[in-house]
Amino acid sequence: MGSYAIQRCLQTIPLLIGISILVFLLINAVPGSPVGEYALNPNVRPEDIARVEEALGLNEPLHRRYFVWLGNVARGDLGESMVNHTNVRSRLLERLPNTLRLTVSAFLLSLAISVPIGVLCAIKRNRWIDHVATLLAVIGSSVPTFWLGLALILLFAVRLRWLPSGGIAPIGGGGATDELKHMILPVFTLAFVQVATWSRYVRSQMIEVLSHDYIRTARAKGLRERLVVLRHGLRNAALPFVTLLGLAIPDLFSGALIIETIFTWPGLGRLTYEAAVGRDYTMVMGAVMLGATLVVIGNLIADLCYGLLDPRIRRR
Amino acid sequence: MSHDSFETVARRWQAAGLSRRALVKLLAAGMSAGSISVLLGDQTTSAQDSSAFPSGGPYSTLEEIGSTGGRLIEAYWTEPKLLNPLVQADAISRRVNLLLFNKLVQPHPDTGLPYPELATEVPSFANGGISEDGLTYRFHLRDDVIWHDGEPFTAADVVFTYQTLLNPDLASGPQGEVLGRVESVVAEDDYTVLFTLTSVAATFLINSMLGIVPEHIWKDVPAGDIIAHAGTLGDPAATIGTGPFRFGEWVRGAYLTFPSFPDFFLGAPALDEYVFKLVQDTTVMASQLQTGEADWVVPLSSEFVESTQNGENTRVAIYDQLLVHFYMTQLREAETTLFQDKRVRQALAYALDREAIEQVVWQGFSQVTHSSIPIASWAYGGGAITPQYAYDPGRAEALLDEAGWIRGSDGVREKDGLRFSFTNWTYAGSKQTADYITILQQQWGAIGIEVTPRTEDAAVWLDRINNTHDFEVVTTSYGFGGDPDQTNLWHSERSTPAGGNITGYANPEVDALLEAAVAELDPAVRKEIYLQFQNILAEELPAFPLSNPAGLDGLTKRVHNVIPNSFNPRWNAHTWWVDPE
């Protein structure tokens, strides 16, 4: 297990370098530049645009720019935004906790709701509780996220005035209760869709597992139903579910772009998107590489968890 | 039409000397508030004395200040980037910097002509401020201005600001209007500055006026480092200006706060604090007006105008905008030969029912226009422009036949084996341009032209129209500054890659007129030159102006003296006030 972990860790470095080269080539291949919007300004002349591009280092050859960037990254310097000249690393570190707050809360909330619901529906298959849950799941998967977010804002913020309609905190800062209020709607919107899919998955996995022979054996042994379902049933059903969760890890870090836009949540998703649209090369590289690194680490952890859950994998 | 907007329009109507009865008749006949507001642009220009502090005009009539204190929240869809007039590049940064910094002279909100801000009067021939040869400008400065950190403002700050702008190491976009224009700037004493220009420029008093920054903060910073300095990125100790509000806090991705500056030279501002808030969805913006989480929403999407106008606590401000929507045809022969014949370009114009299109695209909040110069500008030719293109599809068809484009068997016109078929490009994200390209496809299709409408990502589209020039027709809006100069769009020297001449239009007569207009300091003569320019463009049609939409801002009723307008929305920021809690 130990050598497996070390091997996986070492593999990540060439992987990340490869990703960075790919992203760098991609973002520079797309037409456009960080100073593109100057062109529609009636007072800016071509020589002014040229001067700004020169100062940003955009006239250097591609490979030289990449290696300069790589060298800086090795020293921990992610550079300056080409659009607003702020420090890229500071910007990213500022936004990361906001994104995590949103996505991890939604993740845990979804987990806490979908697993019990999934199990319950599997046990009480085709009873009324299953039908209600199915209906809600279908709604949850069909409703577009932006529509749900806007509908919740219109109901809870505009009509009822119970909750704020956006932002991470009130202007001028606020206490923990204020910040919690600001989190409710975006986390709920994000979780709603996740619960819809995950609960169905858990349900179908449980149904499948509960039909296996070893479950019959456990029951025949006289074990309490609850132990049968949880220790023997759920533990086995969890394996493919953990795979699903592992696939959801990238979403934790890329943030939920649509939610962040609707609720004006200052997260990584919006930062990356705006940087890409604005051709802010340094910011895009920084944001994407941060995301890639976290995803790679997250997947590594998920794989190691797999080993913990399933002794058969451990023995390899 | 609700009570509020009627009042605004009625006041303007009366200011122009016309009876309310006449206004009501027009409204009954179906004209919208927007088109009436825009109509009035012409009549109010002459009534203003542009060297005095604005008052009594459509955008300069203020209420008495009823209460002091409180906070005003403005919501915008994107953040500013650089809080320094030396390097500001985007419109939002400029908008925010207007609160923090002042210029020597600034545009009058009604006319767009300069009136004094940090200077005591606008230099002119009459007062000796402009030399006989038009090359030197002498500004006398106010002696009662204080920087946010308590230091006194003097001529040294003006000299420092402009010398930095003249320094190529600064590498910023706004330098353009100073680098090519100003030869030298010198302080004659603590409150007098002398500018020497490289050539006569009527645009100097509008385009070359930028916010003044404090020498004592910036003098030891190398020019190349200014753009990334803490003072540019937001630091209460270094982001220092003379404006009515000072920099407080910037929570990136969320909001900026600006406490008021009690020692502002025109008097302590009525508000305690001004907040600039980021809200990225248009529906949420309109909702925040209803809940009071925002007081001023810019812009208000047209689908929310009615609900905001009828809201209990909200209203809509309609104003003339310096914005024109065009379609532009490719005139570079190497790219396409479709539009080389003037008759073809005129036919495309006759084929469009612009009045009907306006109703669909703008729901009445817009005015059909005949010029690339915005209607609110003093240089707009209006009725004097000829020719004007009323909807005449018959004439369009006749012109195309005459030019040799005959309908083929599939209904699409052909000439010498070439089909009249092209792509009309626009940028993604604007509902209006998307509507335009669809409608244009239909109306041009009716006269036998096959058009493919396409939208694409804004950055890619900008690259296409400015660098690669790989297009036949583009549809776009174009925002103009206060001065009517349009050299960037139409001068033949600007049609190189990265130049602003999108169509590749090259007419020596127009080049000469543009250059003459910039060098002409007599406003009456300058207006004449622009009329000739507009007439040539109307005849030749390198691009066809579709409309001049009105600006729509949402406001809450607790806010007073906020008068959105295109020339100068911040001129009276120190008089903005809000109802007490």
Side-chain angles (χ1 to χ4, degrees), chain A residues 38-95:
Chain A
Y38 281 175
L40 281 185
N41 183 326
N43 292 339
V44 176
R45 310 162 306 173
E47 41 279 41
D48 304 319
I49 298 179
R51 215 172 343 104
V52 178
E53 284 185 338
E54 177 69 42
L56 287 175
L58 292 175
N59 294 333
E60 298 284 309
L62 217 55
H63 61 272
R64 172 112 52 95
R65 281 165 54 199
Y66 176 75
F67 284 114
V68 167
W69 178 84
L70 196 62
N72 287 334
V73 169
R75 274 173 289 148
D77 174 18
L78 290 171
E80 227 173 60
S81 157
M82 286 186 177
V83 163
N84 62 26
H85 296 269
T86 52
N87 184 287
V88 170
R89 198 176 69 175
S90 315
R91 277 294 76 67
L92 294 174
L93 291 179
E94 216 175 66
R95 298 266 182 140

Side-chain angles (χ1 to χ4, degrees), chain B residues 47-242:
Chain B
Q48 299 296 330
D49 172 10
S50 74
S51 55
F53 192 78
S55 74
Y59 298 117
S60 55
T61 304
L62 302 178
E63 289 176 49
E64 283 283 326
I65 295 179
S67 145
T68 55
R71 167 208 279 177
L72 182 91
I73 303 177
E74 180 178 357
Y76 222 85
W77 57 276
T78 186
E79 272 193 309
K81 298 185 176 110
L82 301 165
L83 298 180
N84 188 330
L86 294 174
V87 293
Q88 69 197 6
D90 59 305
I92 315 303
S93 299
R94 280 200 291 267
R95 194 180 170 90
V96 169
N97 289 337
L98 284 174
L99 291 172
L100 301 171
F101 300 93
N102 299 113
K103 309 172 184 170
L104 293 174
V105 299
Q106 64 170 339
H108 193 291
D110 297 316
T111 60
L113 296 170
Y115 80 94
E117 192 175 13
L118 289 174
T120 53
E121 54 178 1
V122 178
S124 66
F125 285 123
N127 63 22
I130 305 182
S131 62
E132 286 269 331
D133 58 6
L135 288 176
T136 50
Y137 286 70
R138 181 174 282 107
F139 291 85
H140 296 285
L141 306 176
R142 297 181 72 116
D143 58 5
D144 57 351
V145 180
I146 306 180
W147 292 102
H148 292 154
D149 60 0
E151 293 295 319
F153 160 82
T154 65
D157 297 306
V158 178
V159 170
F160 173 79
T161 301
Y162 279 89
Q163 283 182 343
T164 311
L165 287 167
L166 286 172
N167 184 343
D169 291 340
L170 182 65
S172 81
Q175 280 184 292
E177 262 302 319
V178 173
L179 258 184
R181 195 59 80 204
V182 174
E183 181 75 52
S184 70
V185 54
V186 162
E188 292 189 327
D189 61 44
D190 275 346
Y191 297 106
T192 314
V193 181
L194 189 74
F195 284 83
T196 309
L197 305 190
T198 54
S199 59
V200 179
T203 58
F204 177 67
L205 287 175
I206 294 288
N207 289 350
S208 306
M209 291 293 118
L210 292 164
I212 304 297
V213 301
E215 182 195 31
H216 64 275
I217 299 280
W218 295 98
K219 66 176 191 285
D220 295 321
V221 179
D225 295 343
I226 291 180
I227 201 166
H229 191 272
T232 302
L233 302 178
D235 172 5
T239 309
I240 300 289
T242 51

